[in-house]
Amino acid sequence: QARSLSGNSYRIFDARHLDAGRSLADLEADLRRALRRDELELHYQPRLALESGAIIGVEALVRWRHPRRGLLQPQDFIPLAEESGLIIPLGYWVIDRALRDLQWLNGQGHLALHLAVNLSFQQFQDGQLLSTLQRLFRDRGLQPGCFEFELTETAVMRRSSHVLSTMEALQELGVRFSLDDFGTGFSSFQHLATLPISLLKLDKGFVQRMTEHAADRRLVRAMINLAHDLELPVVAEGVENAEQLALLRQFGADQLQGYWICAPQPLTELSAFLRRHALSRSLHAQR
Ligand code: C2E
Ligand code: MG
Ligand code: MG
Ligand code: MG
């Protein structure tokens, strides 16, 4: 029987997502096995710098190729992973895989790419985070400066002193932090200003509503101005059409992610996209 989960994990209970008679515990056992059997995969979504038109980084997004249920999206299993503690091994798997993939991309000639990985609050509670990252960067010969953790407002607003000290230690290493889904939580700006955040990611909900609603348009402009006053660049998520892009350019957004630029892709498709994009930019520059 379903037990009570917190936050936005209601999708777990959606009957369409559970076979008859199967419980949450079964799904948890499935996920445990998935980690051992390598059923998880990462897709990557490029981040475009508006001014230069260059792809300057990618965000890793986890998927689960479930043997019976097909390709599951994060909302179908991340809440369960967080609730069960499996987010810790899952999170390390994601970081390790993403760093291997970045190393492979570098080998393909995609240099100076920035890698962003989503981090759940629970992962901060694990004492191994800092030392594991240090080891992985060393083993892969990668600079921590190319690495970014995306945190949500709800995670950082918990004001745990442990979170702050871990963030500071990671920052010392060279890791950067961005604030994901900005505008949807309840950020205390005073608290925000004390955190080592170097980028705000404007939630896709605002971006999608702003072409229809003047209020959202004003909010987007205000949030971009606020970020810039705090000397933080802004990434707009969920850019799906040219109209949104034009408004974001007008409002001074710094970077864009969204289906209009590129949907999340498996690694080899990402590499092909990066090559095409770089080629078309260089042909454009020659004209
Ligand atoms: P997020 O980090 O805010 O990621 C953005 C989500 O928006 C992704 O959904 C992405 O596929 C989707 N998206 C990108 N462009 C567009 C667009 O133009 N239109 C629309 N409608 N959607 C777009 P996804 O991959 O389903 O991930 C959902 C959330 O799951 C992520 O939100 C993130 O919070 C979480 N997540 C994903 N991977 C991980 C992970 O490895 N660890 C943890 N802890 N959380 C993860
Ligand atoms: Mg999705
Ligand atoms: Mg994210
Ligand atoms: Mg987001």
Side-chain angles (χ1 to χ4, degrees):
Q1 203 45 39
R3 61 197 156 101
S4 158
L5 295 181
S6 57
N8 56 358
S9 45
Y10 60 91
R11 285 199 52 145
I12 292 289
F13 300 108
D14 190 323
R16 288 169 301 173
H17 293 268
L18 287 177
D19 306 337
R22 283 176 60 83
S23 69
L24 210 52
D26 291 328
L27 193 61
E28 191 178 315
D30 277 4
L31 185 54
R32 224 174 269 282
R33 210 168 37 233
L35 281 162
R36 287 201 308 269
R37 293 188 184 167
D38 224 27
E39 289 169 11
L40 300 179
E41 19 184 287
L42 292 183
H43 288 191
Y44 293 93
Q45 185 173 44
R47 228 186 244 178
L48 178 104
L50 243 176
E51 202 160 321
S52 67
I55 301 295
I56 53 173
V58 294
E59 176 179 4
L61 295 156
V62 70
R63 275 93 181 90
W64 177 6
R65 200 164 290 279
H66 193 285
R68 287 181 318 281
R69 298 174 196 205
L71 192 67
L72 299 183
Q73 300 295 312
Q75 73 248 29
D76 300 323
F77 61 93
I78 289 288
L80 173 73
E82 289 179 338
E83 192 73 9
S84 62
L86 286 171
I87 193 69
I88 303 294
L90 188 154
Y92 284 128
W93 182 90
V94 168
I95 295 167
D96 184 45
R97 172 93 266 164
L99 289 177
R100 280 171 203 263
D101 289 350
L102 181 63
Q103 201 181 25
W104 183 83
L105 286 167
N106 288 341
Q108 295 291 305
H110 308 299
L111 304 169
L113 266 189
H114 206 91
L115 171 68
V117 167
N118 294 282
L119 193 77
S120 291
F121 174 75
Q122 288 90 329
Q123 295 180 262
F124 271 119
Q125 309 300 104
D126 188 72
Q128 311 295 309
L129 185 62
L130 183 67
S131 58
T132 304
L133 275 173
Q134 274 173 314
R135 179 173 52 76
L136 289 175
F137 289 128
R138 201 183 45 233
D139 291 355
R140 309 243 159 262
L142 292 165
Q143 295 301 316
C146 66
F147 191 80
E148 175 189 313
F149 276 132
E150 299 193 358
L151 306 167
T152 60
E153 285 175 85
T154 35
V156 293
M157 286 303 144
R158 295 203 194 180
R159 289 170 189 278
S160 133
S161 65
H162 179 67
V163 168
L164 185 59
S165 61
T166 307
M167 283 178 81
E168 283 168 347
L170 286 165
Q171 190 194 32
E172 200 127 307
L173 198 66
V175 170
R176 283 185 283 183
F177 294 94
S178 58
L179 198 58
D180 209 348
D181 305 340
F182 181 67
T184 59
F186 298 93
S187 284
S188 142
F189 292 117
Q190 191 194 3
H191 183 54
L192 197 60
T194 66
L195 293 170
I197 298 274
S198 31
L199 197 82
L200 291 188
K201 297 196 72 181
L202 194 59
D203 187 68
K204 58 178 179 285
F206 296 105
V207 173
Q208 283 163 5
R209 289 186 302 267
M210 80 176 167
T211 41
E212 308 292 325
H213 303 286
D216 287 288
R217 204 147 52 234
R218 284 193 290 269
L219 275 175
V220 167
R221 194 175 50 199
M223 287 189 283
I224 292 172
N225 289 336
L226 171 84
H228 288 169
D229 283 345
L230 297 170
E231 295 177 333
L232 296 173
V234 176
V235 184
E237 318 182 297
V239 182
E240 292 184 354
N241 58 53
E243 198 185 349
Q244 291 164 348
L245 188 150
L247 277 174
L248 289 163
R249 187 193 293 280
Q250 187 192 323
F251 295 161
D254 303 280
Q255 299 169 24
L256 306 179
Q257 273 182 253
Y259 298 161
W260 184 250
I261 295 115
C262 185
Q265 308 281 324
L267 184 64
T268 48
E269 279 91 331
L270 171 81
S271 177
F273 171 84
L274 293 175
R275 205 169 306 122
R276 281 198 308 276
H277 185 83
L279 176 66
S280 80
R281 267 186 83 226
S282 70
L283 291 176
H284 206 263
Q286 280 164 24
R287 278 203 315 224

